[in-house]
Amino acid sequence: MNINMTVRCDECSNHTNCRCGMSNRDHQPLKFTCRNCGSTIGITFDVQGADSLDTVALAAMLSSKNKRKPPKLNQGVRHRVTGATEVEGESPFKPGIDFVDLHLDFPVVFGEYEMGNTPYMQASMRSGAERAAFHRDRLGLVNAQYKKYPQVIKLIGMYNSGFHGPFAVLARKSFKVEVRSKRLEDINAALYTVVSHYVLPFTLPDTSQGASRKFTHTVLDLLQSKREATGAFLQKLYDTEYLVGLQRDCLKIYKPIFHAEMPLRPALFLDLDPSYVEGQVPMRVSTNDFEEYKEVYKDMAEIYSRQLVLVAGINNLIKRGDHDAFASGVWVTAKGKDQAPDGLEDYADVALGNKPRFLDDPWFTLDPVAQDNKLRNGIAHAKIDYNEVTQKITYYPKLEGMQRASKEEIFLLDYMRRMLALFREVHRLHHLIKCLNYAILLEPGASLIKKPPGV
Ligand SMILES: [Zn+2]
């Protein structure tokens, strides 16, 4: 159901007609920017069981004293307007007044009001009814889970800080997950049971499972066919504590993803929209702004860059039987210098944009959408502008002194989609870390680990 209302901007008195499409989330903070003065205007709905809104509206109409003049449909649905004041508007909306469509769950297009052509209808037309239903189910899971995100984040924090006792208590109390023993593998098992359950709606489950199987298979295969060389690789990861540090940082990405749950919703819909072509149709997100999610992308790209070291190590093992041996001749400068890294440590310092070059015929296919080094550079060098009205992001990927030549433009929705793709890739490679950790913890890798004396 949709709720129509007209608001007057508190700053400039500009009127905006709003069509608010209802999500099933019980708290729905919708936001947009006044087209005339750029102020943020918020409309927040608090509805228990929002899918029963039609019933609420009908009840309000039936209970109305004057049956000839029923109350507006908004009646009976609690909402709060900030940055503007709700005023009497024309019904139906007339052209000539600014208009916004707002919906937490779907991308919304700019344009004039068209009765009945709601964001939900438009999205369903693009994706088909079956996929729209899948989107609804997936968001249903988010709606059911989001209030527990703080508990999941707390659990991850306890794990990362080594508070295994309180971790076990919280896992049992909040998630009904028993930690079977004090052994790290059992603590890990409990942690990942909880994390994967809550992360599920944001991932592509088939891809995650497929990746997990592939990693296990690849590592087991290497442990059998190249036992000594693989042992040396695991030993290196253990001695340098590379895996431990990387796992800790991977676990930190879930908090900002949970935090971005609302603006990620329309990006999730793009999984199901075959007509979507990035940057072609300006579509908006009906909630929080871009600034909050800038750092998230940068941090995830940093982790991704470190994860690629593991992909490279395994690639080198498979191809050349030595984790440090990179293929020569894949990138030779004009002066004839071979840029191939000397070993994994050298590779770790290679810029993210250049890292995939040294993965010759890689065993693991990287997602091209996740590898947006230009965007990462734009953010890292603070060369990025955001227009709150159009939600257009302009970034300048190259360091060019005072000049800002080659610019790229995307919309916030495209950005959220790229952030989602990067998150999925980091999450997918998190499985590789789990798998390598397991190989170190358990046999047959364990026999290769030289424990320091007295431990
Ligand atoms: Zn205004």
Side-chain angles (χ1 to χ4, degrees), residues 9-14 34-39 41 83:
C9 173
D10 286 345
E11 284 299 321
C12 73
S13 302
N14 183 44
C34 168
R35 212 173 284 177
N36 189 50
C37 74
S39 300
I41 296 171

Side-chain angles (χ1 to χ4, degrees), residues 15 25 54 78 128 141 151 171 209 215 265 319 387 409:
H15 282 199
R25 202 179 192 276
D54 290 324
R78 259 177 51 206
L141 195 52
Q151 297 288 92
Q209 278 177 13
F215 296 147
R265 287 165 176 251
K319 306 275 159 51
N387 181 326
E409 284 177 343

Side-chain angles (χ1 to χ4, degrees), residues 211-255:
S212 195
R213 270 197 301 274
K214 188 180 173 67
F215 296 147
T216 312
H217 185 262
T218 308
V219 172
L220 280 177
D221 196 44
L222 279 171
L223 278 167
Q224 277 165 10
S225 63
K226 292 173 178 150
R227 188 177 168 78
E228 223 162 283
T230 308
F233 177 53
L234 295 177
Q235 186 76 54
K236 172 107 177 185
L237 296 177
Y238 179 81
D239 291 345
T240 54
E241 295 186 355
Y242 193 80
L243 222 45
V244 180
L246 194 50
Q247 184 201 18
R248 196 179 302 132
D249 289 346
C250 278
L251 283 167
K252 288 181 189 159
I253 66 167
Y254 298 107
K255 180 178 175 181

Side-chain angles (χ1 to χ4, degrees), residues 55-109:
T55 325
V56 174
L58 188 65
M61 285 166 83
L62 291 174
S63 65
S64 160
K65 287 202 180 84
N66 185 351
K67 295 284 188 281
R68 280 167 179 271
K69 194 174 174 243
K72 290 176 83 176
L73 280 183
N74 311 12
Q75 202 163 323
V77 180
R78 259 177 51 206
H79 64 276
R80 196 159 37 89
V81 181
T82 51
T85 310
E86 191 174 352
V87 292
E88 195 69 37
E90 291 172 306
S91 180
F93 294 151
K94 301 253 169 34
I97 290 179
D98 283 351
F99 167 72
V100 287
D101 255 327
L102 296 162
H103 201 305
L104 267 193
D105 298 346
F106 297 100
V108 290
V109 296

